[in-house]
Amino acid sequence: MSAPFVEVDGITVRFGGLMAVNNLSFQVERGTIHALIGPNGAGKSTTFNCISRYYQPTAGRVRIDGLDVTHFRPSRMAGLGVARTFQNLELFGELSVRENVLLGCHAHSANTLGGLLRRPDGATRDLVDNLIERVGLTHDRETRANELDFGHQKLLEIARALALKPRLLLLDEPAAGLRNTDIENLDRLLTELAQRDGITVLLVEHVMQLVMSISNRITVMSFGEKLAEGTPKEIGENPKVIEAYLGKGAAHV
Ligand SMILES: Nc1ncnc2c1ncn2[C@@H]1O[C@H](COP(=O)(O)OP(=O)(O)OP(=O)(O)O)[C@@H](O)[C@H]1O
């Protein structure tokens, strides 16, 4: 078996007196979908932010494709093929769907931002159109991002992240606020990204319907620590996991 694509090795994150993540280790295999779940406040987003380098762990290491990135700046991550989406959307609301995705191409384009928006080359235009189609937003190509409903804005964020041509896609609650049909589209899209395109996907998610359907492996966190890890079936049957959810986050299960 090849080396894991993401290695989280004993990370700890303290915010003042609060231990948000405590000596957490897990690995994400290449080309798989791995979910990080757990009740509210378990430390999922903090872990995610350590991997994408928005937070600095107090201790421990993060490796991506064998490279120790623990002290890398977030801006270096795009160059390594790491793209992420945010729990609270970070789109350019006044720009169109097409323009938002175009901006995502900047990391691998020789063009300036302005040039990219005004005069994208043919290959970039094709890539953008293809990504918009893949997330199902073709009819909204020229719609301003802030005119889309929340679910479609989330799909747009994924298209923009894909414009980076990532090897690792980090998704923070991609299904939150989505309607059932959008969740089904997301299920199909993420499965295809992993299986057809070989992209490694790590997602933090509360929507169990999606997590159980698409994940190859699930890591469960509770109070900053790893509570369990396994296949969706193993996690669904794990009494410790059921108790953690019934104790705190039952509404999400
Ligand atoms: N920047 C911060 N400063 C101080 N405390 C923080 C910060 N970020 C997170 N925390 C705290 O760390 C703990 C873990 O938070 P985190 O957001 O990682 O949990 P989570 O599992 O992602 O929760 P949710 O599912 O609600 O998003 C919580 O107690 C939270 O209040």
Side-chain angles (χ1 to χ4, degrees), residues 13-16 18-21 37-49 55 87 172-173 204 206 221 224 252:
V13 183
R14 283 196 199 88
F15 295 114
L18 177 84
M19 185 86 94
V21 179
I37 68 167
N40 293 116
K44 305 179 297 294
S45 293
T46 304
T47 301
F48 202 77
N49 284 326
Y55 286 171
Q87 208 174 91
D172 201 351
E173 300 202 22
V204 168
H206 283 292
M221 291 185 72
H252 290 300

Side-chain angles (χ1 to χ4, degrees), residues 16-182:
L18 177 84
M19 185 86 94
V21 179
N22 185 10
N23 194 23
L24 176 75
S25 298
F26 67 96
Q27 302 184 337
V28 181
E29 298 303 324
R30 203 174 289 266
T32 64
I33 302 180
H34 193 117
L36 199 53
I37 68 167
N40 293 116
K44 305 179 297 294
S45 293
T46 304
T47 301
F48 202 77
N49 284 326
C50 287
I51 298 170
S52 58
R53 302 296 315 112
Y54 283 81
Y55 286 171
Q56 186 63 38
T58 320
R61 314 221 70 85
V62 176
R63 285 182 210 91
I64 292 181
D65 201 13
L67 184 68
D68 188 338
V69 300
T70 316
H71 297 288
F72 278 26
R73 280 196 296 271
S75 55
R76 278 191 71 184
M77 301 309 278
L80 291 177
V82 179
R84 70 163 290 176
T85 65
F86 293 84
Q87 208 174 91
N88 304 311
L89 299 160
E90 303 224 342
L91 292 166
F92 297 97
E94 297 299 317
L95 298 184
S96 71
V97 163
R98 185 181 55 81
E99 288 167 327
N100 268 280
V101 182
L102 261 176
L103 289 178
C105 298
H106 186 240
H108 55 81
S109 168
N111 222 331
T112 61
L113 276 180
L116 194 62
L117 286 178
R118 283 190 303 275
R119 294 177 305 277
D121 60 69
T124 304
R125 277 203 305 267
D126 288 349
L127 172 69
V128 168
D129 286 346
N130 177 268
L131 292 174
I132 292 172
E133 190 188 331
R134 278 187 89 173
V135 300
L137 288 176
T138 302
H139 296 302
D140 282 312
R141 201 169 161 276
E142 300 304 331
T143 305
R144 282 204 332 227
N146 59 13
E147 289 170 4
L148 296 176
D149 67 33
F150 184 69
H152 287 156
Q153 289 187 5
K154 298 201 90 161
L155 292 170
L156 172 56
E157 247 208 331
I158 294 176
R160 194 179 61 184
L162 290 173
L164 208 116
K165 299 184 181 167
R167 296 188 298 152
L168 173 65
L169 186 59
L170 301 167
L171 304 172
D172 201 351
E173 300 202 22
L178 261 58
R179 290 184 296 252
N180 270 345
T181 49
D182 289 329

